[in-house]
Amino acid sequence: MKDGFQVVRFRRAAAVAVTAGAVLATGALAAVPAQAVTAPTIVAKGGYVMNNANGAGLYGKAADTRRSTGSTTKIMTAKVVLAQPNLNLDAKVTIQKAYSDYVVANNASQAHLIVGDKVTVRQLLYGLMLPSGCDAAYALADKFGSGTTRAARVKSFIGKMNTQAKNLGLTNTHFDSFDGIGNGSNYSTPRDLTKLASSAMKNASFRAVVKTKAYTAKTITKTGSTRTMATWKNTNGLLSSYSGTIGVKTGSGPEAKYCLVFAATRGGKTVIGTVLASTSIAQREADAKKLMNYGFAKLG
C-alpha cells in the first residue's frame, strides 16, 4: 500500500509539473490576477486612476469630490489654445507689463517673461506647462480670448475653458481663472481632471510639451535682437523618477495643497490619473507612483 501511495503521489507530482510547465510556456503566470492586487492607501484627499485606452476606472478615492485644483487648471488653458481653429504655433505674442504685474501681485509661479519681448505661442505653451508660468497663462488668455479690452478677452477665454469642460461632460468642473489662481469658483475632481488630461493628451503638441523636462526659449527683444531665456524646468518630478512617465501637470496652492495629474506608459499600456490635496511635493509624487503601480498591476 505504501508503494502504491508513492506511485500515485509521483504521478500527481509529474502531472503538476507538466501543468506548471504548460502555464509557464504560455506566460500565464506572468499576469497577476486583478483580484490579487491590493488597493493602495494614499495621503491625498482625492485620487483617481484609469486605463487611458478605454477610460475604465481602476481606482478612486473621493473621485467625484470637488476641490481646488491649483495649476492643474493650466491643462485646460493649453487645451483651449490648441483647439483654436487655424492655430499658428509660431505666431508671436508681445509680452505686456500687465502680465508681469499680475504674477508679482499674486506672488505666482512664472516663466519670467520679459515685457516687450515677442514670444511664440509654442514657447508660451512650454512656459505655461513646465515652470507653470502664470504670466504665460495670462499672455495666452489675452491672445486667444475675444474682446476689445484685456478684461473682456480674459473673460472670453475663461468662458471657452468652461465650454470645453461642458463639451467633455465634466459636470463637477468649473473655471474662474486661466491659471488656477481662482476667485472661489475654480474647482474640479480627480475623475474630471483625469478625463480632461486624457483628452488633452490626444493632441501631439500637448504631448510633446508635457513630457519635456527642460526647454530653453529664444525670444525677440524690443530692439529685434535674440534673447536666450533662462531654461524652464518641468515641475513634474515624475519625469525623472518614474519610468515611463509621459506627463502631465503639477498644481499647488493654499487651498489646493499639492496636486498632480500624471500619466505613464509601460508595456504598451497607459495609465492616467490625478491626486488632489496631498501634503507635499514629495507626497503627491509618492501617491501618484502608488496609483500608477496599482493601475499597471490591475492591467496585468
Side-chain angles (χ1 to χ4, degrees), residues 98-128:
Y99 314 156
S100 179
D101 290 346
Y102 171 80
V103 290
V104 171
N106 287 282
N107 192 26
S109 54
Q110 58 174 307
H112 298 282
L113 299 170
I114 310 294
V115 176
D117 276 13
K118 288 182 172 59
V119 185
T120 67
V121 172
R122 188 192 316 275
Q123 289 168 338
L124 287 173
L125 287 168
Y126 279 95
L128 173 78

Side-chain angles (χ1 to χ4, degrees), residues 32-39 294 297-298:
V32 179
Q35 63 271 21
V37 184
T38 305
Y294 181 68
K298 288 272 280 188

Side-chain angles (χ1 to χ4, degrees), residues 18-196:
V18 170
T19 305
V23 170
L24 281 171
T26 60
L29 284 184
V32 179
Q35 63 271 21
V37 184
T38 305
T41 301
I42 59 171
V43 172
K45 289 183 179 176
Y48 184 74
V49 67
M50 74 181 195
N51 178 358
N52 194 53
N54 59 11
L58 301 170
Y59 171 95
K61 175 184 177 181
D64 300 308
T65 301
R66 297 174 176 181
R67 299 187 189 280
S68 176
T69 57
S71 286
T72 61
T73 297
K74 289 168 180 151
I75 296 170
M76 183 61 94
T77 310
K79 183 169 171 57
V80 168
V81 170
L82 290 166
Q84 296 304 302
N86 305 312
L87 177 68
N88 177 10
L89 289 170
D90 296 316
K92 291 183 174 61
V93 176
T94 302
I95 303 306
Q96 306 296 318
K97 187 172 183 292
Y99 314 156
S100 179
D101 290 346
Y102 171 80
V103 290
V104 171
N106 287 282
N107 192 26
S109 54
Q110 58 174 307
H112 298 282
L113 299 170
I114 310 294
V115 176
D117 276 13
K118 288 182 172 59
V119 185
T120 67
V121 172
R122 188 192 316 275
Q123 289 168 338
L124 287 173
L125 287 168
Y126 279 95
L128 173 78
M129 299 302 279
L130 272 63
S132 202
C134 295
D135 45 356
Y138 198 165
L140 289 166
D142 193 8
K143 164 76 173 173
F144 292 103
S146 304
T148 54
T149 65
R150 185 172 292 122
R153 290 190 292 274
V154 166
K155 185 178 179 181
S156 160
F157 187 87
I158 295 168
K160 291 182 182 185
M161 293 170 71
N162 285 311
T163 298
Q164 280 272 10
K166 188 177 179 182
N167 292 345
L168 287 171
L170 309 182
T171 54
N172 287 307
T173 297
H174 185 268
F175 299 105
D176 68 2
S177 74
F178 48 73
D179 58 2
I181 301 177
N183 300 297
S185 191
N186 200 95
Y187 57 80
S188 189
T189 68
R191 190 190 307 270
D192 276 8
L193 274 174
T194 302
K195 286 182 181 176
L196 167 59

Side-chain angles (χ1 to χ4, degrees), residues 218-257:
K218 292 184 183 297
T219 61
I220 306 300
T221 68
K222 287 178 186 174
T223 58
S225 61
T226 301
R227 183 196 309 281
T228 302
M229 297 287 288
T231 300
W232 293 324
K233 303 283 179 62
N234 200 319
T235 54
N236 182 3
L238 294 176
L239 289 166
S240 301
S241 65
Y242 191 85
S243 173
T245 298
I246 54 173
V248 298
K249 186 72 186 76
T250 60
S252 62
E255 189 185 353
K257 304 305 179 190

Side-chain angles (χ1 to χ4, degrees), residues 194-223:
T194 302
K195 286 182 181 176
L196 167 59
S198 181
S199 176
M201 290 290 275
K202 290 184 171 79
N203 183 284
S205 295
F206 184 90
R207 289 197 305 274
V209 170
V210 298
K211 74 177 182 184
T212 301
K213 292 181 185 177
Y215 182 88
T216 305
K218 292 184 183 297
T219 61
I220 306 300
T221 68
K222 287 178 186 174
T223 58

